[in-house]
Amino acid sequence: VSYLLYQTDIVTQIYRVTGWDRLLVHAVAASCDEMELFLHNVIDPLPGIVSCSCNTILSRIKYIKGLRL
């Protein structure tokens, strides 16, 4: 599944997160319509997808490039 997302141009980051079989997928779309097409054509058909939630970033408050933990 993550390989299919990895090949999608608008996906910029993929994280495995805590919880039951969860991924956090960061995608940058040019419009709401492009995001809707991404969800409909890429996310919804993925095997095993039971639900999907989508949040929109309104503004960036702080960003540290290259932060090493």
Side-chain angles (χ1 to χ4, degrees):
V1 171
S2 61
Y3 178 76
L4 296 170
L5 295 171
Y6 184 85
Q7 298 295 353
T8 304
D9 290 339
I10 71 169
V11 173
T12 60
Q13 293 144 30
I14 304 168
Y15 300 95
R16 184 182 309 230
V17 297
T18 59
W20 184 258
D21 297 325
R22 297 185 187 267
L23 288 178
L24 186 151
V25 178
H26 184 263
V28 179
S31 66
C32 290
D33 289 337
E34 183 180 13
M35 184 58 74
E36 179 65 28
L37 286 173
F38 167 69
L39 293 171
H40 180 73
N41 295 329
V42 177
I43 298 295
D44 291 347
L46 289 172
I49 296 297
V50 175
S51 66
C52 173
S53 66
C54 183
N55 296 292
T56 301
I57 296 171
L58 300 176
S59 63
R60 180 181 293 168
I61 305 299
K62 181 177 179 178
Y63 174 72
I64 301 173
K65 187 175 181 179
L67 178 63
R68 294 179 190 236
L69 301 176

